[in-house]
Amino acid sequence: MQPKTTKAQIRKKPKSGLFRLREDIPSGLYSALGFIIPAVLIFLWWLVTYLGLVKPLFLPSPVAVLAEGWRQVTEGILFADASVSFYRITIGWLAATVVAVPIGILMGNFRIIEGSLGPLISTMRYMPVVALIPLSILWAGIGDAQKILILFLGTFFQQALMIMDNVKNIDMNLIRAGQTLGFSNSEILRRVILPAASPGIWDTFRITIGWTWTYLVVAELVAASDGLGRRIMDAQRYLATDTILFGTLFIGVLGLLTDYAFNKSGLRFFRWNSDKR
Amino acid sequence: MTNNTTMPRIKVDAVGKIFDSGTQAVQAIKHIDLDVHENEFVSIVGTSGCGKSTLLNMIGGLDEPTSGDILIDGVSVDGPGRNRGFVFQSYSLFEWMTVQGNIRFALEKSNFSKAEKDELVAHFVQAVGLSGFENSYPKQLSGGMRQRVAIARALVYKPSILLMDEPFGALDAQTRGMMQELLLKVWEDHKVTVLFVTHDVDEAIFLADRVVVLCSSPGLVKRTIDIELERPRNFDIVTTAQFGEYKRDIMADIREETLKVMAMEKHDER
Ligand SMILES: Nc1ncnc2c1ncn2[C@@H]1O[C@H](COP(=O)(O)OP(=O)(O)O)[C@@H](O)[C@H]1O
Ligand SMILES: [Mg+2]
């Protein structure tokens, strides 16, 4: 026999819950979780080191890592490292972007250019950038140019392909509308395709600058005397695990801030793209 | 309504279209002859994939026929031109421009003075019932309102022909009914020749002077039916016996075509 389902039972089904597919949860809870989870992890980390379960060499305590950070702040190292790294990231990413935007836009609109460059760029993006360090030194010396070149190589290929996709994703009928209104190809490129793709392109900027950050250590691997990545590599030599952890976390935080800045400014620049009434 | 003594506004003359990608060729249209006269309202219906959009795109100059010719006022079509306005099914508005901005953008290539442009924009905002929304962005509008902007944008530069490719296809039934009445009013007030593609038979009959039924793959004209319902029309007309008769005839044609396609697909599977 089938169990009887009464109305009361049906009503009992939870109408609210935190694990409904795609449904919203209270926004306060959502933001709080972003802090709570890392806090729990840091607490566990502290607990493990406090109880002496792991040797400090393998995992220094959060306090030791913070102390290392404080040392770097007071000695002025952190600011010096961060500014030189920030400069390299900015220039490397900008250089990649300045080339990737036109190339991506052209590839997205002209099949002949996509056909010419697409396969090449798709192959190059799998290229292991670390392996190119020796060549990059031969080409660009051991100064900042070499670091910027590495950051460029790590960013450019992916970025060009993503911008191509951003451009392709716009509705073909927008282009057709421009044509029926009498605009020329170059006018349509500038005044229809570019603005229509711009929120997507901005999002690509946000994502790719994150990738540029991840290439920082690679860029400062060789022939660098300063920079956040350099500091981490040096620490490796002396097994200064607190320095390694602090440097890594600090790069993470800077990456997060960059992401946030792009996100917020995107919402401002592209207000028309929000469907809030 | 057809007037054979004057030159047709649109003449589709033995047009065929083959899409050839190099590896594979699709015959979208086999052979279509069609005359549309000044200020006539013609609906094109047919099963999906029978070449309706392809035909409209070619008349709009967005695509070229592989055989035959398309003439507008006796002149062969060579690319898009400002004697034609186009409304697409997808809401193809420029989302970074306001309602007003979208409509004004369409006037950029016109020789009107600034004052005339202002007046035209204001006139068409009002004609499509968007007063008060001039400065809204498309994302803030409902689907019906967006298509009204698209209609205003396609008419503001005074083309003599309006091409519409399933413009109300994405709207809910109530909104669609209102948009149809609005379109008829705009058409009566502004006198343009309209070529209206739809797969909704009621819509085709309600709007048109003439309904053209296309054969499914490859495109051919199966039948043309003159719709002799009086104008101005309102929505009550769909309940009349005459409307019912037109509908029955057209549905029968389309059903026959659909069955043909299904039989062909079955055949392909074997
Ligand atoms: N750009 C294209 N390349 C190849 N085939 C196409 C292209 N556009 C349309 N077709 C084909 O032509 C036929 C007619 O398409 P279409 O005109 O869009 O039909 P409808 O608008 O009546 O649904 C379909 O078989 C479609 O697959
Ligand atoms: Mg279509």
Side-chain angles (χ1 to χ4, degrees):
Chain A
M1 237 176 60
Q2 284 210 327
K4 255 195 266 169
T5 331
T6 65
K7 266 191 188 150
Q9 268 175 324
I10 293 170
R11 224 177 268 131
K12 245 192 241 157
K13 260 193 198 161
K15 277 250 150 58
S16 65
L18 298 176
F19 290 94
R20 291 166 301 154
L21 293 171
R22 303 274 179 105
E23 297 290 330
D24 241 333
I25 60 170
S27 69
L29 176 63
Y30 181 88
S31 338
L33 284 170
F35 290 99
I36 292 172
I37 297 300
V40 168
L41 288 175
I42 291 173
F43 174 74
L44 288 176
W45 170 18
W46 171 81
L47 199 65
V48 165
T49 53
Y50 179 75
L51 296 176
L53 299 176
V54 185
K55 280 195 190 139
L57 177 65
F58 295 110
L59 186 65
S61 76
V63 182
V65 170
L66 275 181
E68 165 62 15
W70 184 242
R71 180 187 71 84
Q72 291 192 16
V73 172
T74 51
E75 289 180 17
I77 308 171
L78 186 65
F79 185 74
D81 279 345
S83 37
V84 71
S85 290
F86 193 78
Y87 163 77
R88 289 169 183 158
I89 296 269
T90 310
I91 302 294
W93 179 81
L94 275 180
T97 302
V98 164
V99 190
V101 167
I103 288 191
I105 288 176
L106 291 176
M107 286 206 302
N109 283 301
F110 298 103
R111 295 284 286 170
I112 182 164
I113 297 181
E114 187 189 355
S116 314
L117 300 180
L120 182 69
I121 293 183
S122 303
T123 313
M124 298 288 271
R125 81 177 157 141
Y126 291 109
M127 165 183 77
V129 176
V130 193
L132 289 180
I133 292 177
L135 268 182
S136 73
I137 292 176
L138 285 175
W139 292 340
I142 55 169
D144 268 351
Q146 182 263 340
K147 281 92 198 154
I148 289 164
L149 177 62
I150 292 288
L151 295 173
F152 175 92
L153 291 174
T155 311
F156 168 75
F157 301 102
Q158 306 270 8
Q159 198 180 25
L161 292 177
M162 285 172 76
I163 289 172
M164 174 182 81
D165 280 339
N166 295 144
V167 171
K168 280 188 173 179
N169 276 340
I170 73 166
D171 187 348
M172 182 62 201
N173 282 340
L174 279 184
I175 297 173
R176 291 193 166 137
Q179 289 171 336
T180 62
L181 298 178
F183 290 91
S184 69
N185 275 356
S186 77
E187 284 170 323
I188 290 173
L189 266 174
R190 275 183 296 115
R191 303 188 56 195
V192 175
I193 296 175
L194 200 56
S198 56
I201 292 178
W202 192 258
D203 213 40
T204 294
F205 286 174
R206 183 179 67 78
I207 293 165
T208 52
I209 202 164
W211 291 341
T212 314
W213 274 107
T214 65
Y215 277 102
L216 182 65
V217 176
V218 175
E220 295 177 350
L221 199 59
V222 174
S225 53
D226 47 12
L228 295 167
R230 179 72 263 167
R231 187 74 45 202
I232 295 172
M233 295 318 295
D234 278 346
Q236 201 173 341
R237 222 178 291 157
Y238 314 116
L239 285 178
T241 39
D242 50 353
T243 311
I244 295 176
L245 271 178
F246 174 76
T248 313
L249 291 175
F250 190 66
I251 289 179
V253 170
L254 288 183
L256 188 71
L257 288 177
T258 325
D259 200 87
Y260 182 82
F262 268 87
N263 214 349
K264 282 286 166 208
S265 48
L267 291 177
R268 267 189 89 84
F269 293 161
F270 309 114
R271 279 221 189 95
W272 52 264
N273 202 32
S274 118
D275 44 18
K276 285 203 192 81
R277 302 264 157 128
Chain B
M1 275 253 179
T2 47
N3 178 355
N4 293 321
T5 57
T6 57
M7 181 190 288
R9 177 123 276 170
I10 306 172
K11 185 169 187 65
V12 178
D13 186 12
V15 160
K17 175 72 183 178
I18 296 171
F19 287 105
D20 192 350
S21 66
T23 49
Q24 171 190 23
V26 180
Q27 187 171 42
I29 290 176
K30 191 172 183 186
H31 179 109
I32 290 184
D33 285 312
L34 177 67
D35 283 3
V36 183
H37 293 272
E38 189 177 350
N39 298 342
E40 203 181 4
F41 197 126
V42 173
S43 294
I44 299 177
V45 291
T47 51
S48 129
C50 71
K52 304 184 294 292
S53 298
T54 306
L55 177 64
L56 214 63
N57 286 343
M58 290 190 299
I59 296 170
L62 297 169
D63 221 331
E64 285 167 26
T66 36
S67 57
D69 201 6
I70 293 170
L71 305 163
I72 308 266
D73 296 323
V75 181
S76 186
V77 165
D78 178 23
R82 296 178 59 80
N83 52 357
R84 284 150 288 160
F86 215 121
V87 178
F88 303 92
Q89 175 175 1
S90 65
Y91 309 129
S92 55
L93 297 183
F94 306 122
E95 308 226 313
W96 54 99
M97 298 180 196
T98 59
V99 166
Q100 230 171 15
N102 267 276
I103 302 172
R104 186 167 257 287
F105 191 65
L107 283 173
E108 224 170 90
K109 297 280 163 184
S110 303
N111 295 322
F112 298 108
S113 71
K114 185 175 178 307
E116 283 169 327
K117 287 181 183 177
D118 288 342
E119 201 178 309
L120 278 167
V121 171
H123 170 79
F124 275 94
V125 164
Q126 196 257 331
V128 297
L130 284 175
S131 304
F133 292 93
E134 290 88 345
N135 296 316
S136 302
Y137 284 92
K139 276 260 164 80
Q140 302 170 311
L141 305 178
S142 68
M145 289 164 96
R146 288 187 199 199
Q147 284 306 61
R148 288 192 241 176
V149 181
I151 292 171
R153 189 181 65 186
L155 286 177
V156 70
Y157 53 91
K158 306 263 177 181
S160 56
I161 297 168
L162 181 60
L163 304 168
M164 307 181 87
D165 191 356
E166 306 198 29
F168 309 146
L171 305 178
D172 62 72
Q174 281 80 12
T175 312
R176 198 183 311 165
M178 279 167 55
M179 291 296 289
Q180 289 162 3
E181 288 182 313
L182 177 114
L183 176 62
L184 280 187
K185 180 155 182 351
V186 171
W187 172 69
E188 271 151 20
D189 292 348
H190 295 87
K191 282 303 163 204
V192 285
T193 306
V194 181
L195 205 49
F196 188 100
V197 164
T198 176
H199 58 247
D200 179 340
V201 175
D202 282 19
E203 181 170 78
I205 301 169
F206 176 68
L207 293 172
D209 298 319
R210 196 146 57 98
V211 174
V212 176
V213 184
L214 290 194
C215 269
S216 51
S217 52
L220 283 167
V221 175
K222 184 171 178 77
R223 188 160 34 158
T224 300
I225 300 170
D226 287 322
I227 305 297
E228 278 151 5
L229 299 167
E230 65 192 31
R231 292 193 189 269
R233 295 174 190 171
N234 68 39
F235 230 79
D236 299 336
I237 216 166
V238 303
T239 55
T240 61
Q242 206 183 355
F243 191 99
E245 241 165 72
Y246 288 134
K247 184 171 174 179
R248 203 169 51 232
D249 288 354
I250 295 171
M251 293 290 258
D253 279 350
I254 290 180
R255 197 179 135 77
E256 200 181 301
E257 288 306 310
T258 312
L259 288 174
K260 254 194 237 166
V261 174
M262 285 167 70
M264 261 160 49
E265 276 166 2
K266 250 198 197 130
H267 185 82
D268 286 347
E269 272 165 29
R270 291 207 190 115

